[in-house]
Amino acid sequence: VHNLDLVKDRSPLFAVSALVLAACGGEENRPANWEYISPAIIQPNCATSSCHSKAAAVAGLDLSETGDGYRSLMGQKLPKRPSDAYMGNYPPRILVVPGNPDQSRIVNMMRGIGANLMPPDRPLPEADIALIEQWILAGANND
Amino acid sequence: MISLPPFRADFLFRAVFALLLGVAVATSARTAEAYPQWQFSSGTARCSQCHFSPSGGGIVTGYGRDAVGDDLSTWEGDGSFAHGAIDLPKTLALQFDGRYAGLLHDAGETRGTRTLHFPMQADLSLRLAVTDAVSFVGTVGYRGQARASDFPVGAGAAIADSSSRFISREHYLMWRPAPQGAYVRAGRFFAPFGLRLAEHNLYVRRDLGFNLLEESYNLSAGYVQADWEVHLTAFGPDYIRDLGSRETGGTGMFEWRFDDKYALGLQGRVAMKEDRNRYIGGVFGKAFLEDAKLLFQTELNFVHSIFPDKITSTQGFVGYASVTYFLGRGFWIAPFGERVQTSVAVRDTAINAGGLQLNWFPYPHFELVFQGRAQMPTGQTTVKSGLLFLHYYL
């Protein structure tokens, strides 16, 4: 059970509270599950119209919905770099290795480690990447 | 010098080009939007004086074309369609918009700063007055896409819904018996919301449902007066093209103008989707200081999101502020700042950005824009970009 409401009674102080907390924030307490990560982090940042939307599905990834996004991330294999597909240096790798964020390509892409940085125009804040790592560490379940 | 076998070099070129194009499209491609900077500073109070849309943006009216030709460009000229070479009947308005851009992008990667030049936009717009009160507005254009759908992928690849690159960003039927007063319109367009900035990559657009090609299908009604306007919109997703969010809901905004220099606005949006409901409320404001040639603009939105278990929720906000200094006729410079935080309860979930935008309108039909921007996700590398583009409209 996760209840992240800052102001559960929706009081008029919400705006002030939000502004104050915006300056500091607290420890991570968001759920590390796909039902949260997909609509809160992946879809708004990755499933833009020209990238991993249904219409574009760049690199074969449709991340626009919770279900389709999970199938894409877990089923798709990509070369280390696009050029590697032809150079044959590396076998295609899956994006998520359940239980092992270090070996999960999606994490390295989001940090730009040995891979093209994703999203290319605006990297994710560290807390969002760390939450995705937690989800992978917990088995990367479709929950 | 390293030389690659021909097929490898060709593929490498394609891969690098595709990546850069991805960056370019994601950071810069855009539609023919209005500049809210013209409000008050050009002597007009309502966006709909220069645009056929009651909330601004899109195809420009004859009044707007004349204003650009006579007053707003650095050098005067003929702002009318085709530079005045073709007289269109009063019931018909046409406009072509083309943009071409160059981009520098530094995301802190080992390969360093990337450069690219690319076409941003090629749109043809039409406005046809069916009767004195009823009109149709539509655009057709080329849709940018980061990489081709046949880009080599592994097993399990999703297939793009459509390979067509042609897109109609806007098409709607409108009933509006007079420039001021009530109107109703139905079709595809951006629901009126907030400052309605032209740059889709700004967080108050990108993170609230108004990113590139995210025009929704709407039924909208409103009332526009000299010193206030209100717009109410019911919206649904683009089921035809699967572009943009699949949210359904409603949007409302109210703008109050006073002294021909100031505007205050309220906006709200309820956007529902099976895996997230968003409740957005915000305010915006403008102040034009004529003597100082300064226009202040700011917008702040709070976002309450509820997730499928109906228990998990987050509170976030998206803000924007800028100061536009009008250096001379047809030329302004505008430093701006932005912040988006998806959960104010959690540290390091924010992205701050700051930048500088220069717009120059040297001669009617021409515009040169530079946007320099640094985006700073907390705990991550700062991404710096510089975009320069030329806009020509016929």
Side-chain angles (χ1 to χ4, degrees), chain B residues 103-119:
Chain B
L103 176 73
L104 292 172
H105 188 79
D106 180 4
E109 295 174 291
T110 51
R111 69 193 67 191
T113 302
R114 305 171 193 179
T115 59
L116 179 67
H117 59 93
F118 57 95

Side-chain angles (χ1 to χ4, degrees), chain B residues 186-201:
Chain B
R188 188 173 197 253
F189 51 90
F190 278 123
F193 189 89
L195 284 172
R196 290 153 282 163
L197 296 161
E199 296 76 20
H200 74 86
N201 58 358

Side-chain angles (χ1 to χ4, degrees), chain B residues 13-32:
Chain B
F13 172 78
R14 286 176 55 201
V16 171
F17 178 79
L19 182 69
L20 292 175
L21 188 59
V23 169
V25 170
T27 54
S28 53
R30 66 188 206 175
T31 58

Side-chain angles (χ1 to χ4, degrees), chain A residues 1-7 10 14-15 18-19 21-31 35-36 38-40 43-45 48-62 64-66 71-72 75-79 81-87 110-112 115-129, chain B residues 4 7-8 11-12 15 19 23 25-27 105 107 109 111 114 143-147 149 151-162 203 206-207 211-214 241-244 246 273-276 302 304 307-309 311-315 317 339-351 375 377-381 383:
Chain A
V1 175
H2 307 276
N3 191 332
L4 306 180
D5 274 346
L6 291 175
V7 186
R10 315 288 197 271
F14 164 68
L19 279 174
L21 285 167
C24 48
E27 296 304 312
E28 180 64 78
N29 60 356
R30 297 175 297 170
E35 275 204 342
Y36 174 79
S38 173
Q43 291 175 32
N45 289 288
T48 51
S49 297
S50 300
C51 295
H52 303 299
S53 62
K54 276 193 194 312
V58 169
L61 292 170
D62 171 12
S64 62
E65 300 283 339
T66 305
R71 279 189 287 277
S72 272
Q76 175 64 300
K77 292 182 178 178
L78 296 177
R81 288 196 174 90
S83 54
D84 296 336
Y86 279 53
M87 291 180 171
M110 287 174 172
R111 290 214 171 94
N116 298 323
L117 183 68
M118 290 287 161
D121 61 323
R122 187 180 77 177
L124 295 174
E126 178 56 30
D128 288 349
I129 301 174
Chain B
L4 295 170
F7 76 98
R8 289 183 181 176
F11 185 80
L12 193 59
L19 182 69
V23 169
V25 170
T27 54
H105 188 79
E109 295 174 291
R111 69 193 67 191
R114 305 171 193 179
R143 175 169 72 90
Q145 182 171 309
R147 281 168 277 184
S149 298
F151 193 81
V153 293
I159 305 301
D161 266 7
S162 170
Y203 301 159
R206 172 190 167 132
D207 290 282
N211 202 347
L212 180 69
L213 297 172
E214 286 192 346
R241 302 297 299 259
D242 271 323
L243 288 167
R246 298 184 76 80
K273 192 166 171 278
E274 64 179 10
D275 53 13
R276 179 173 69 162
F302 291 94
H304 176 69
F307 295 90
D309 59 11
I311 299 171
T312 301
S313 63
T314 56
Q315 331 293 339
F317 73 96
R339 181 177 171 100
V340 56
Q341 184 156 7
T342 51
S343 174
V344 293
V346 181
R347 190 181 299 125
D348 293 348
T349 56
I351 303 175
Q375 299 183 86
T378 48
Q380 272 269 44
T381 306
V383 173

